[in-house]
Amino acid sequence: MFEKMSPNQRLILAVVLSFVFFIVYTAIFPPEMPESAEQNVTLKERVGTEATTPAVTDNGVGHTVAVSEKVANPDATKLVTVESSEFTLKIDTLGRIVSKVLKDKKYYVDDKPTELIAQEGAQPLFIRFADEAINAEALKVPYRADASSLTLDAAGTKSVTLTQTLSQVTVTKTLTFYADGHYDIKVSLSKPMRYFLYVGQHAEHKGQMMMAVHGVMGYTADGVSNIFEDGDVEGRTALRDVKLLSAFDQYFASIFYGLDPEVIVNIDRDRSDNPIAYLEATDSLSFNGFIGPKDYRLLESINPVLVNAIEYGWFTWAAKPLFGFLLWLHGFFGNWGWAIVALVVVIRLVLYPLTYKGMISMQKMKDLAPKMKELREKYKGDPQRMNAAVMELYKKNGANPMGGCLPLLLQIPVFFAIYRVLLNAVELQGAPWMFWIGDLSRMDPTYILPILMGASMYFQQKMTPNNFTDPMQEKIFKYLPVVFTFFFVTFPSGLVLYWLTNNLLSIAQQYMVNKQYAKIKAARHEAHLAQKEHNGGEA
């Protein structure tokens, strides 16, 4: 079947199969989750319960890093509550940030606020000591605080000091909170002692797409984003000169930044091979932190280095500038849906010259299909002569068998880049478009967009020239709109809107090209007749 397909058809099929594989694989083989909470427990951290630590190696770190069991009710062990107009944050008696809830309803899921702190695993600012005996004591002795509640106004800051007095050392954590969600922290010990401070693990949030990358990132001074994905961590990695350390999911992150270049950042694994990140120190540490949405404008306003927490996987090189342009368009239109539509229009305009040549080439290939079939039949037993004859036919008629491929090849990275952008843009959460789309980050509850997308794809197929010689090929391509509609039903509305707009513009462009090519053919036909008449009836 495949040897009878044209280069364009083979390329289109490859693109489609790649796309389908990309979606189906991540749906069938999502990252492995722990079978139960008990399998994820190597360190019990609840106040008043017996605590154990993993075996400590000569470097003070066990092979499997300590991970807490499910956190007790944050209110039951609450030590400090921080309130602002944007969030509520809670610190427990072990000096950990155990809860942060955003008040903006665009972040709600099922009319409930989203908890940004993982209720299983290591929580932000948790300290573990290398000394096993001190560590066991630290898990039983509660911190004291010089304030039980802080209320932040729009421009102000508030500080709290936490103190833990142990038999051999006193730990002091001084935190200063800002209304925009970031904080400053200084950790000091009464005497040098080796300890580890955790950035926390990301929470699991309902409704987030499986295809989004979740895990830990260490962004270093050389501009490299070291990504450690959930379920894919094999051992411990140490990083230095880290500008940003992030435990992240699709939309939110717990971040440390402003670290001293000499601070060692370790990324280890839990028993589910998920990453756990922590700082290693023996004395005082001073740095900054942030827990919240990966909103570009918010992160940039706090510190420009934080925008590096927004990561798009393999297509970051193309996705970052595309998102920057999308952000600019949003500033112009004031609506994310119309910004997406405008982005597609601009991309189509940029690619128009190449797309036009590709469409003309496909028209020529369609016209030459009968002659190519004749040549294949004529030189069936002589492939060399057949290829030479076919190439001569292309040359004589100004056709390029690869002419339609380049525009498609250029659109592949653009599509996957915009896919990553729209999949990871927290700005789309709660962003409406038209009257029936209330949230561009979620599927269309009315199915209108995916149905229109499938219909537009079907209509586009009808308008696009083809030269199928195999009925099976024709059937496969005929049902592609149905297949794509099925996959796009659960996709974020913003992504479906992008694809639908792209299809509509392709239809408009194909219509114009078909009209122009018909005129070109008519002119050629008239010229041919005139030449024939001039030659006395001979072609």
Side-chain angles (χ1 to χ4, degrees), residues 435-502:
F435 61 89
W436 79 93
I437 299 294
D439 189 341
L440 285 166
S441 72
R442 303 196 180 281
M443 63 176 282
D444 181 352
T446 66
Y447 306 113
I448 292 175
L449 277 180
I451 290 172
L452 288 176
M453 188 280 301
S456 66
M457 190 174 181
Y458 174 79
F459 191 63
Q460 183 184 0
Q461 274 190 356
K462 288 293 184 181
M463 295 181 64
T464 304
N466 63 70
N467 56 337
F468 289 115
T469 56
D470 187 333
M472 183 58 69
Q473 295 175 21
E474 194 167 5
K475 278 188 177 181
I476 291 174
F477 279 78
K478 182 179 178 181
Y479 285 102
L480 282 179
V482 178
V483 174
F484 269 60
T485 301
F486 173 77
F487 283 123
F488 273 75
V489 162
T490 58
F491 272 31
S493 301
L495 185 65
V496 185
L497 175 61
Y498 169 85
W499 196 260
L500 169 61
T501 307
N502 189 66

Side-chain angles (χ1 to χ4, degrees), residues 117-158:
I117 306 300
Q119 297 304 289
E120 294 184 20
Q123 283 75 44
L125 305 186
F126 169 59
I127 287 180
R128 179 169 65 88
F129 289 93
D131 185 289
E132 189 173 347
I134 296 176
N135 197 61
E137 182 186 5
L139 294 173
K140 297 176 182 178
V141 177
Y143 278 78
R144 302 186 312 276
D146 63 359
S148 60
S149 64
L150 305 176
T151 302
L152 302 173
D153 56 32
T157 63
K158 292 289 180 66

Side-chain angles (χ1 to χ4, degrees), residues 177-355:
F177 293 96
Y178 297 76
D180 58 14
H182 84 280
Y183 60 89
D184 304 331
I185 179 168
K186 180 177 181 180
V187 179
S188 57
L189 275 62
S190 59
K191 67 177 183 179
M193 188 170 293
R194 197 173 187 201
Y195 66 96
F196 313 100
L197 184 70
Y198 288 77
V199 71
Q201 289 178 279
H202 66 81
E204 295 294 335
H205 294 128
K206 181 180 178 181
Q208 297 203 1
M209 299 289 288
M210 289 184 295
M211 289 77 78
V213 178
H214 297 177
V216 163
M217 177 178 69
Y219 180 78
T220 49
D222 54 6
V224 175
S225 296
N226 301 274
I227 305 294
F228 304 85
E229 294 188 38
D230 284 356
D232 194 32
V233 182
E234 296 181 355
R236 185 166 61 254
T237 300
L239 301 174
R240 286 183 183 271
D241 207 358
V242 175
K243 297 297 181 184
L244 179 149
L245 177 64
S246 171
F248 65 94
D249 61 13
Q250 185 177 0
Y251 294 133
F252 306 101
S254 174
I255 300 172
F256 287 171
Y257 65 102
L259 300 168
D260 187 283
E262 295 303 313
V263 170
I264 298 174
V265 172
N266 290 306
I267 292 90
D268 216 320
R269 64 184 177 89
D270 64 15
R271 291 185 177 180
S272 298
D273 294 330
N274 295 330
I276 304 176
Y278 53 93
L279 312 182
E280 183 176 340
T282 57
D283 209 333
S284 298
L285 279 175
S286 294
F287 57 93
N288 315 103
F290 171 81
I291 301 170
K294 294 185 290 182
D295 182 293
Y296 186 94
R297 289 191 178 104
L298 172 62
L299 296 178
E300 187 178 43
S301 69
I302 296 172
N303 190 315
V305 75
L306 292 179
V307 300
N308 294 290
I310 305 172
E311 216 282 329
Y312 304 102
W314 292 349
F315 288 90
T316 296
W317 60 273
K320 274 194 173 181
L322 274 175
F323 178 74
F325 185 53
L326 183 65
L327 200 65
W328 181 85
L329 289 171
H330 174 259
F332 183 78
F333 288 98
N335 180 277
W336 284 105
W338 292 117
I340 291 169
V341 171
L343 178 65
V344 183
V345 172
V346 172
I347 291 172
R348 297 296 303 192
L349 287 174
V350 171
L351 295 178
Y352 180 81
L354 287 172
T355 307

Side-chain angles (χ1 to χ4, degrees), residues 367-382 385-386 389-390 393 469:
D367 291 345
L368 293 177
K371 292 182 180 180
M372 290 170 61
K373 187 176 181 181
E374 290 176 10
L375 290 175
R376 289 192 179 102
E377 289 296 326
K378 183 177 180 180
Y379 300 108
K380 188 184 296 183
D382 193 344
R385 288 188 65 187
M386 181 188 72
V390 168
L393 180 67
T469 56

